[in-house]
Amino acid sequence: MSTTDAIEKPALPLSFLPPYVKWGLLGLIQLVLIAVPLIDRLQVQMGGQEVKLELIPIDPRDLLRGDYVIINLAISRLAADLPGADGLEEGDTVYVALEPDENGLMAAASVGKDEGTSNLVRIAGKVQSATGEEIRVDYGIDAFFLPEGEGLVIERLDRERVQLVVAVTGDGRSLPLRLLVDGKPFKSDAAF
C-alpha cells in the first residue's frame, strides 16, 4: 500500500444537487429551527399540571403584540428561612415545591437545587438575588399577552382579584395558560 492510497478522497460537494433541492433543504432547516421552541411550549402546555398562582399585574404595551401584563408572582419572593433555602446564591437554578393554601392558590413550601422526589409540584427558576431575609426567583414567565386595549382592564383591577393559571411539567418547566379574574377565566395565552 503506497502513501497515496492511504489518503482519503474528499467527500463529494453538494454541487451535484439541483438548485431547487438545495433551496428546499435550506427551507427545511429553517422550519425545523422555528418548530423546536414551539414543540417545547406544546409539551409544557399539554403535559404540565395546572396550578393557580397569585400575581401583581402591571400593564405596559408591546408595539408588535399589543397589550401585555407583566407578571409579578407572589412566589417570586421567598423567605430566607424556607426549608432548603440555606446556601442559595445568585444565579443558582432552583426548584420550588408548591402546595395549595386555604384559597387554593399555590404557595412555596420548600426550595432546593435538585428536582426532589416529593409528590408536590415543583417549578424551576433562577435565583436573582439572595439576602438574609429574602430570595428572589425568576421563573421565566413574566409576561401575559392580551388583545390591544384589554391590558388596562387588568391594570385597574385589585390585585387580589387576579390569578394566573400555569402549566408545570415534572421537570419544572412552566408556561402561563390563562388569567383568572374572580376565579373565572379572563383570557387565554395557551395557543402557541
Side-chain angles (χ1 to χ4, degrees):
M1 177 191 254
S2 70
T3 57
T4 56
D5 291 337
I7 298 175
E8 293 183 31
K9 294 182 181 179
L12 290 175
L14 295 178
S15 62
F16 70 92
L17 292 175
Y20 63 87
V21 173
K22 291 178 193 175
W23 285 107
L25 287 172
L26 183 62
L28 183 62
I29 290 169
Q30 289 177 346
L31 287 174
V32 167
L33 291 174
I34 291 170
V36 168
L38 296 177
I39 291 170
D40 181 57
R41 185 174 169 104
L42 184 61
Q43 284 178 329
V44 174
Q45 184 176 331
M46 301 301 284
Q49 180 178 349
E50 288 189 12
V51 297
K52 276 196 297 187
L53 300 172
E54 183 180 7
L55 58 94
I56 303 166
I58 303 169
D59 176 52
R61 289 187 37 78
D62 182 305
L63 293 176
L64 298 177
R65 294 183 71 179
D67 290 353
Y68 64 99
V69 176
I70 290 179
I71 298 171
N72 186 6
L73 298 171
I75 62 169
S76 292
R77 295 179 178 191
L78 305 175
D81 62 352
L82 194 65
D86 293 336
L88 294 180
E89 297 176 359
E90 184 177 330
D92 287 346
T93 297
V94 294
Y95 297 88
V96 178
L98 304 173
E99 62 183 1
D101 64 11
E102 63 276 355
N103 298 323
L105 297 172
M106 294 301 227
S110 66
V111 62
K113 291 182 183 180
D114 62 344
E115 292 182 39
T117 57
S118 71
N119 294 338
L120 298 176
V121 175
R122 298 177 85 73
I123 185 169
K126 189 168 285 287
V127 176
Q128 289 181 318
S129 67
T131 66
E133 299 172 5
E134 181 179 79
I135 300 167
R136 290 186 180 229
V137 180
D138 177 23
Y139 299 99
I141 49 175
D142 57 355
F144 188 90
F145 289 87
L146 298 166
E148 190 170 340
E150 294 187 11
L152 290 174
V153 174
I154 296 297
E155 182 183 55
R156 293 179 181 146
L157 293 173
D158 292 331
R159 72 175 185 94
E160 294 83 23
R161 296 179 58 195
V162 182
Q163 292 96 34
L164 179 69
V165 176
V166 175
V168 182
T169 61
D171 62 358
R173 291 178 296 151
S174 58
L175 174 74
L177 295 178
R178 62 187 164 277
L179 284 176
L180 300 177
V181 175
D182 298 328
K184 296 181 180 145
F186 179 73
K187 289 291 175 184
S188 174
D189 193 26
F192 59 92

